[in-house]
Amino acid sequence: GAMMDNRFATALVIACVLSLISTIYMAASIGTDFWYEYHTLSPAENVSEAGRSIWEEFVSKDADEKTYTDALFRCNGTVGLWRRCITVPKNSHWYSPPETDMTTNCISFSLSDQFVEKYIEPGNHNSGTDLNRTYLWRLQFLLPFVSIGLMCFGALIGLCACACRSLYPAIATGVLHLLAGLCTLGLVGCYVAGIELLHRKLPLPEDVRGEFGWSFCLACVSAPLQFMAAALFIWAARTNRKEFTLLKAYRVA
């Protein structure tokens, strides 16, 4: 009856809202640079002399992992999935006081950077390939796109379902959201594991603190939202199907 239909409609609306929020969170986390942050407790004075050279090394085409990680340690670096940023003095002139305006400069990882091998000793290509870190990095780059793709595909199926006034596709939408949630969970796991392994190879200096940033948290929040949406889509479709079958049997009788 009408009472039942209201329950499904509500479940579906909530599922759609959760799906939308998680898509937005996911897109925001891919697009921002605060997956991991380094807090350098004594940055300014030691950077001003070396600021220029650090910056030049940081942005150079052949900056290897060790070079840019050292720069991240020394200059309050932040890292996203796509970009790395450091904070350096605006003008490193010898006569300017060290605590002049600081400016944050970012450089993107190129596509080849995303797929390049990681070495067992970062920065030393004679030390052999570190397969774990290489594949963790590639996965953390690909998984968020797979996750967003699955949700968009689910949304398309959902729209078709509305057009056809059928709830069967809601199960497909639910399953796609479930897979998207697993991808997001995988992404978070890969990222944490990758950072752990990197810091084992390149330990943080005494005066540097590292922590996961808010972009990383958005991805963490996105996963449970995707699972909740999936559960609601599947629940609505299944329960509604039972109701529908009962109703039919009753009519026939």
Side-chain angles (χ1 to χ4, degrees):
M3 181 59 203
M4 287 310 295
D5 292 344
N6 283 347
R7 268 175 46 201
F8 301 122
T10 310
L12 287 174
V13 166
I14 294 173
C16 290
V17 168
L18 291 175
S19 165
L20 185 66
I21 294 174
S22 68
T23 308
I24 292 169
Y25 279 7
M26 219 36 229
S29 88
I30 294 175
T32 49
D33 309 320
F34 296 90
W35 278 73
Y36 202 84
E37 304 175 26
Y38 296 101
H39 299 287
T40 316
L41 306 179
S42 54
E45 57 280 8
N46 61 11
V47 171
S48 46
E49 317 88 81
R52 238 343 118 233
S53 61
I54 289 183
W55 174 242
E56 277 158 14
E57 281 176 1
F58 187 69
V59 297
S60 81
K61 266 275 165 276
D62 37 40
D64 60 40
E65 195 181 24
K66 180 163 180 11
T67 310
Y68 73 67
T69 305
D70 283 342
L72 290 168
F73 287 167
R74 291 179 65 180
C75 308
N76 288 311
T78 64
V79 193
L81 296 183
W82 277 95
R83 300 204 307 169
R84 50 184 196 263
C85 304
I86 55 175
T87 303
V88 287
K90 257 206 178 77
N91 44 3
S92 355
H93 300 307
W94 54 270
Y95 54 80
S96 64
E99 59 283 357
T100 43
D101 303 353
M102 303 294 276
T103 165
T104 299
N105 296 321
C106 297
I107 180 166
S108 297
F109 291 107
S110 67
L111 259 181
S112 57
D113 287 340
Q114 298 285 14
F115 289 100
V116 76
E117 309 170 274
K118 306 280 185 196
Y119 302 115
I120 290 173
E121 292 171 28
N124 174 5
H125 55 84
N126 299 324
S127 60
T129 305
D130 187 335
L131 283 178
N132 285 347
R133 291 196 312 120
T134 302
Y135 284 102
L136 284 170
W137 187 278
R138 289 174 188 177
L139 279 173
Q140 86 188 25
F141 163 67
L142 293 169
L143 282 173
F145 293 108
V146 176
S147 173
I148 283 197
L150 287 167
M151 289 202 293
C152 294
F153 191 45
L156 276 177
I157 293 180
L159 287 175
C160 299
C162 289
C164 316
R165 297 178 172 264
S166 145
L167 263 179
Y168 287 102
I171 288 195
T173 303
V175 170
L176 288 169
H177 276 75
L178 190 65
L179 293 172
L182 289 171
C183 286
T184 308
L185 218 52
L187 157 68
V188 167
C190 287
Y191 195 82
V192 172
I195 285 279
E196 274 300 303
L197 291 172
L198 174 66
H199 288 166
R200 246 178 240 173
K201 301 277 162 74
L202 297 175
L204 290 172
E206 286 293 290
D207 61 343
V208 175
R209 242 177 355 97
E211 60 185 17
F212 291 99
W214 57 266
S215 306
F216 172 82
C217 297
L218 284 180
C220 293
V221 174
S222 192
L225 291 178
Q226 288 163 330
F227 288 131
M228 279 149 64
L232 284 169
F233 279 126
I234 293 170
W235 174 84
R238 290 200 46 154
T239 331
N240 200 35
R241 209 156 82 187
K242 274 196 199 116
E243 294 287 316
F244 190 65
T245 324
L246 284 173
L247 207 64
K248 249 177 159 170
Y250 179 73
R251 286 231 177 101
V252 173

